[in-house]
């Protein structure tokens, strides 16, 4: 089967259990002990993944939250099979990939021995107010507007203590906040001026509790499409319809929500603000350029996506 590397975020929730689970899964599979490559604040995963594939590891397992997963995925691509053992706050990548999120050993078995499957990978170019440009990979979602503002205000302590529930109270407090005037262009279509509470570029639409960023079965991670969602409530009661759509109760069009699909999105902000990339917040951004790369990363999964 070839050698296995484990890129481990040692401060992630459940990191110790994830490491033991991967070691057990490797024993069961007869691969030998995994090559341990812990992340650091200065090197959050990309350098470790590069070292693993350069050393010839055919399987790179990442144990951490969504931020660590996207760092590793952006490097591994199809050079090796990527395994994911979720031990973060929301674990959205694992949820969208249909991976176990409550059992480290079950996830580790898939990560070490599961068949590889082509998954779409996003790239986002972020232009800062000072002109600097930063390029990141993502697997799930890029958010502009209050979505990013909520994440920017979360404390590490709250996330460690309550998990994804930490997002709920700050989110509720921002429901009445006014929209942001932005300009949005999808593929080569005409640029649109929007007043949006949030603009989301979605590769994987599944959230906890069965909710979805894109209604129905939209935004699967192997559909080759980037799903653009613009949230623009005009009054407080619009949130009822937005919530019903996310939970699958409402399926009709509503003025507070719009969805389109394509392969690239450009969002221009009126003033520097935060952008979230799979939960990681990047401040002081003026322009966001997003593209989707179909089947650009090979991920160990079970039989299909939920």
């Amino acid at each position: 089967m070839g050698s296995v590397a484990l890129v481990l975020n040692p401060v992630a929730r459940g990191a110790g259990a994830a490491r033991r689970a991967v070691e057990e899964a490797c024993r069961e599979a007869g691969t030998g002990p995994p090559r341990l490559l812990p992340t650091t604040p200065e090197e959050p995963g990309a350098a470790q993944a590069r070292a693993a594939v350069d050393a010839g590891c055919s399987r790179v397992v990442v144990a951490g939250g969504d931020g660590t997963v996207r760092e590793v995925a952006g490097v591994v691509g199809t050079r090796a099979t990527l395994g994911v053992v979720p031990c973060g706050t929301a674990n959205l990548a694992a949820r969208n990939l249909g991976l176990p999120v409550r059992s480290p050993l079950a996830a580790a078995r898939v990560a070490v021995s599961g068949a590889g499957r082509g998954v779409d990978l996003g790239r986002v170019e972020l232009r800062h107010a000072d002109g600097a440009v930063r390029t990141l990979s993502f697997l799930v979602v890029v958010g502009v507007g209050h979505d990013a503002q909520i994440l920017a205000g979360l404390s590490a302590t709250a996330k460690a203590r309550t998990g994804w529930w930490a997002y709920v109270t700050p989110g509720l407090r921002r429901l009445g906040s006014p929209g942001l005037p932005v300009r949005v262009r999808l593929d080569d279509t005409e640029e649109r001026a929007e007043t949006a509470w949030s603009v989301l570029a979605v590769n994987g639409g599944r959230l906890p509790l069965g909710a979805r960023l894109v209604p129905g079965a939209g935004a699967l991670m192997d559909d080759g499409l980037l799903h653009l969602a613009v949230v623009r409530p005009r009054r407080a009661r619009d949130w009822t319809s937005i919530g019903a759509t996310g939970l699958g109760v409402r399926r009709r069009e509503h003025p507070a929500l719009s969805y389109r699909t394509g392969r690239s999105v450009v969002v221009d902000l009126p003033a520097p603000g935060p952008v979230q990339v799979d939960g990681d917040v990047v401040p002081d951004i003026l322009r966001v350029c997003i593209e989707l790369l179909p089947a650009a990363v090979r991920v160990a999964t079970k039989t299909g996506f939920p």
Side-chain angles (χ1 to χ4, degrees):
M1 184 178 291
S3 57
V4 176
L6 171 59
V7 179
L8 175 72
N9 182 349
V11 299
R13 301 174 73 209
R19 177 179 177 175
R20 293 188 294 273
V22 173
E23 290 170 344
E24 175 62 23
C26 286
R27 281 193 292 271
E28 293 175 356
T31 65
R35 177 181 179 181
L36 180 62
L37 299 168
T39 67
T40 66
E42 297 75 24
E43 298 288 356
Q48 292 84 348
R50 191 170 294 109
V53 294
D54 287 348
C57 294
S58 59
R59 180 91 39 161
V60 179
V61 178
V62 53
D66 287 317
T68 310
V69 173
R70 68 162 188 81
E71 284 272 348
V72 174
V75 171
V76 171
T78 57
R79 297 173 65 189
T81 299
L82 175 68
V84 178
V85 180
C87 50
T89 303
N91 298 316
L92 295 184
R95 293 177 193 275
N96 280 277
L97 291 165
L99 300 175
V101 295
R102 294 183 177 86
S103 170
L105 183 56
R109 285 168 173 157
V110 176
V112 170
S113 301
R117 178 174 180 176
V119 169
D120 304 334
L121 181 71
R123 297 275 192 205
V124 54
E125 181 184 277
L126 302 168
R127 186 172 298 277
H128 289 262
D130 63 2
V133 175
R134 183 178 180 186
T135 301
L136 301 175
S137 300
F138 70 96
L139 280 169
V140 184
V141 61
V142 174
V144 179
H146 290 290
D147 170 69
Q149 295 279 4
I150 291 167
L151 293 179
L154 288 180
S155 71
T157 301
K159 291 194 290 184
R161 186 174 62 249
T162 63
W164 67 266
W165 285 101
Y167 301 111
V168 175
T169 300
L172 292 173
R173 289 174 181 158
R174 279 195 170 266
L175 293 186
S177 300
L180 181 72
V182 295
R183 298 193 307 276
V184 181
R185 185 173 72 248
L186 178 69
D187 293 342
D188 295 325
T189 60
E190 184 177 350
E191 184 178 80
R192 292 187 184 182
E194 303 271 9
T195 300
W197 190 88
S198 187
V199 178
L200 303 169
V202 183
N203 183 36
R206 193 181 187 202
L207 298 171
L209 298 180
R212 290 186 178 271
L213 291 168
V214 177
L220 297 177
M221 295 179 73
D222 62 349
D223 63 7
L225 293 172
L226 195 61
H227 299 257
L228 177 66
V230 179
V231 184
R232 45 172 181 259
R234 295 180 175 87
R235 54 189 69 84
R237 66 174 179 267
D238 285 347
W239 284 108
T240 302
S241 297
I242 292 170
T245 301
L247 292 171
V249 176
R250 180 189 177 97
R251 297 183 180 274
R252 292 178 294 154
E253 293 286 331
H254 190 277
L257 284 169
S258 68
Y259 300 98
R260 291 186 287 161
T261 58
R263 293 282 292 275
S264 65
V265 176
V266 177
V267 182
D268 286 300
L269 288 75
V275 173
Q276 69 94 356
V277 182
D278 278 358
D280 288 341
V281 179
V282 184
D284 300 320
I285 300 301
L286 277 174
R287 168 170 274 208
V288 186
C289 301
I290 306 163
E291 66 172 335
L292 191 73
L293 307 175
V297 59
R298 186 168 65 245
V299 182
T301 68
K302 296 195 294 183
T303 55
F305 301 151

